[in-house]
């Protein structure tokens, strides 16, 4: 066995790894190589994965979506340069925290909607107009987006919203008052609506 | 693993620069990496090139013959590090040091080691064997010298 020869070379040196990771992130940011920065945060609706490009928040994912799969999707759709870089997500983390404690009603961060295309992106742009604590039906949103017949497309846009919570698709419900599809699951959607009516 | 290999090949003082340059270069090139490629071998290949560059750069500059004992530690825990091992590794010919590091610390088979360093698998095997033999001899000498209770 040769391993004894290298006893002085530890396989793991956490302090050095942390130092090197920080140094790499700074260098990657400096050289414009940090295409997608991500971090996870805890929330009342479970752990959330937050990801941002240089243009803004690009993805918010619930744990039911499987964060590993989401990171792989981001690598395929945007760039394989996906790095855990919490600093870029400090502001949105803080605002989410304020939102969940009822102290914040609107988000004030840049959002990158590149993962939603065409009409779906148009729908998501309109969702910010729905005030905190109120809801709209899918057909009302379709009419507001200028295509009253596109109710199903609005349903798809909301169900596949890449930045839930920050773009408040949870405020769009079925005309009969039932919740409708949600990326984080129906319980999460109902919990958010309850939070907003309670505040 | 890459840090361990860098430390063995360029020594503890340059290892963090080598690691950082390796990963930054890897990050730049990553989108061009073919699907299914062996990422670990690819990283060590980059690290190997960086180490060669570093060694060449050192050869161009004045090399301090002796380390001053009070220089700031770059490893975080200087007392955990065995100066004898560094000296013994540094004393090896480049080819042997690389073969030892990539095979024994990187865990690469000799075919992979040869792909990283150039040459044949048989030559890599020989270089690693000679390198380990020299390290063992150095470690035995160290034990004899440092055997005072």
């Amino acid at each position: 066995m040769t391993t004894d020869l290298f006893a002085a070379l530890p396989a793991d040196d956490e302090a050095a790894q942390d130092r090197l990771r920080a140094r790499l992130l700074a260098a990657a940011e400096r050289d414009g190589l940090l295409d997608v920065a991500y971090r996870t945060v805890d929330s009342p609706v479970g752990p959330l994965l937050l990801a941002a490009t240089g243009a803004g928040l690009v993805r918010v994912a619930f744990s039911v979506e499987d964060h590993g799969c989401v990171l792989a999707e981001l690598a395929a759709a945007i760039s394989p340069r996906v790095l855990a870089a919490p600093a870029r997500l400090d502001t949105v983390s803080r605002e989410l925290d304020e939102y969940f404690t009822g102290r914040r009603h609107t988000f004030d961060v840049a959002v990158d909607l590149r993962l939603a295309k065409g009409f779906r992106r148009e729908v998501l742009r309109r969702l910010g107009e729905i005030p905190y604590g109120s809801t709209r039906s899918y057909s009302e949103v379709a009419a507001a987006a200028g295509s009253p017949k596109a109710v199903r497309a609005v349903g798809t846009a909301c169900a596949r919203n890449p930045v839930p919570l920050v773009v408040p698709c949870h405020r769009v419900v079925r005309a009969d008052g039932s919740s409708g599809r949600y990326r984080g699951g129906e319980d999460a959607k109902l919990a958010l609506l309850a939070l907003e009516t309670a505040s | 693993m890459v840090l361990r290999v860098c430390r063995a090949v360029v020594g503890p003082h340059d290892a963090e620069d080598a690691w950082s340059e390796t990963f930054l270069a890897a990050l730049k090139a990553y989108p061009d990496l073919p699907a299914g490629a062996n990422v670990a071998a690819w990283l060590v290949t980059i690290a190997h090139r960086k180490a060669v560059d570093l060694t060449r750069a050192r050869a161009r500059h004045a090399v301090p013959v002796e380390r001053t004992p009070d220089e700031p530690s770059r490893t975080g825990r200087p007392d955990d590090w065995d100066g004898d091992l560094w000296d013994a590794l540094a004393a090896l010919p480049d080819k042997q040091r690389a073969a030892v590091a990539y095979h024994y610390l990187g865990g690469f088979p000799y075919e992979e080691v040869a792909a990283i360093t150039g040459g044949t698998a048989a030559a890599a095997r020989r270089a690693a064997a000679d390198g380990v033999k020299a390290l063992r001899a150095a470690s035995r000498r160290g034990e004899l010298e440092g055997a005072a209770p």
Side-chain angles (χ1 to χ4, degrees):
Chain A
M1 278 302 284
T2 9
T3 45
D4 59 310
L5 271 178
F6 303 112
L9 258 172
D12 288 311
D13 183 345
E14 236 163 87
Q17 291 292 1
D18 290 347
R19 190 165 59 241
L20 287 167
R21 202 170 295 124
R23 182 174 162 182
L24 178 65
L25 287 178
E29 186 82 87
R30 183 197 64 215
D31 293 356
L33 296 172
L34 191 45
D35 295 341
V36 183
Y38 76 90
R39 71 169 293 183
T40 52
V41 293
D42 276 331
S43 87
V45 288
L48 299 170
L49 174 78
L50 312 174
T53 63
L57 184 70
V58 77
R59 191 74 167 83
V60 174
F62 298 92
S63 58
V64 290
E65 299 180 74
D66 186 333
H67 290 172
C69 289
V70 173
L71 290 172
E73 284 164 15
L74 291 170
I78 300 172
S79 158
R81 295 185 192 119
V82 179
L83 289 170
R88 191 184 278 180
L89 297 140
D90 278 352
T91 306
V92 69
S93 304
R94 196 189 64 248
E95 292 194 2
L96 279 166
D97 196 51
E98 292 164 353
Y99 169 79
F100 283 119
T101 50
R103 289 172 295 149
R104 171 174 290 277
H105 292 183
T106 54
F107 290 94
D108 190 22
V109 289
V111 171
D112 180 348
L113 286 176
R114 75 173 75 188
L115 295 175
K117 303 274 184 265
F119 180 70
R120 298 221 314 261
R121 190 181 302 180
E122 205 42 51
V123 170
L124 297 176
R125 284 216 184 91
R126 311 302 299 243
L127 296 185
E129 298 164 9
I130 310 172
Y132 180 93
S134 47
T135 58
R136 295 284 181 277
S137 71
Y138 289 103
S139 52
E140 283 172 322
V141 173
S147 308
K149 289 200 169 67
V151 178
R152 285 180 69 88
V154 169
T156 308
C158 293
R160 298 177 59 185
N161 173 13
V163 275
L165 295 161
V166 174
V167 170
C169 61
H170 57 274
R171 292 177 198 150
V172 187
V173 295
R174 290 208 182 98
D176 65 7
S178 65
S179 88
R181 287 183 298 159
Y182 191 58
R183 248 182 157 151
E186 195 180 355
D187 289 350
K189 188 168 182 173
L190 294 172
L192 296 172
L193 293 171
L195 164 84
E196 293 191 4
T197 44
S199 301
Chain B
M1 183 277 280
V2 178
L3 178 60
R4 220 173 162 213
V5 165
C6 285
R7 280 171 167 166
V9 174
V10 299
H13 296 270
D14 289 328
E16 298 199 7
D17 288 347
W19 187 99
S20 296
E21 284 181 28
T22 296
F23 274 81
L24 198 61
L27 208 53
K28 284 196 177 93
Y30 190 55
D32 306 324
L33 183 69
N38 179 341
V39 176
W42 176 68
L43 280 170
V44 172
T45 305
I46 297 173
H48 180 73
R49 285 191 219 122
K50 295 286 169 198
V52 170
D53 292 348
L54 255 167
T55 315
R56 281 195 195 130
R58 266 211 228 101
R60 278 199 303 272
H61 299 111
V63 180
V65 250
E66 269 190 287
R67 290 206 298 262
T68 51
D70 57 353
E71 71 182 32
S73 158
R74 299 276 308 277
T75 60
R77 301 185 314 272
D79 35 351
D80 284 3
W81 298 81
D82 178 353
D84 294 347
L85 174 67
W86 301 125
D87 294 343
L89 278 166
L92 293 180
D94 291 349
K95 271 202 164 55
Q96 290 184 17
R97 191 168 55 250
V100 166
Y102 304 152
H103 180 71
Y104 289 106
L105 299 173
F108 295 103
Y110 291 116
E111 287 77 17
E112 293 266 19
V113 175
I116 295 166
T117 59
T120 65
R125 181 188 302 273
R126 266 196 311 277
D130 292 346
V132 164
K133 202 188 296 175
L135 289 176
R136 283 211 182 288
S139 124
R140 272 196 301 275
R141 278 197 304 277
E143 280 164 17
L144 291 175
E145 285 163 23

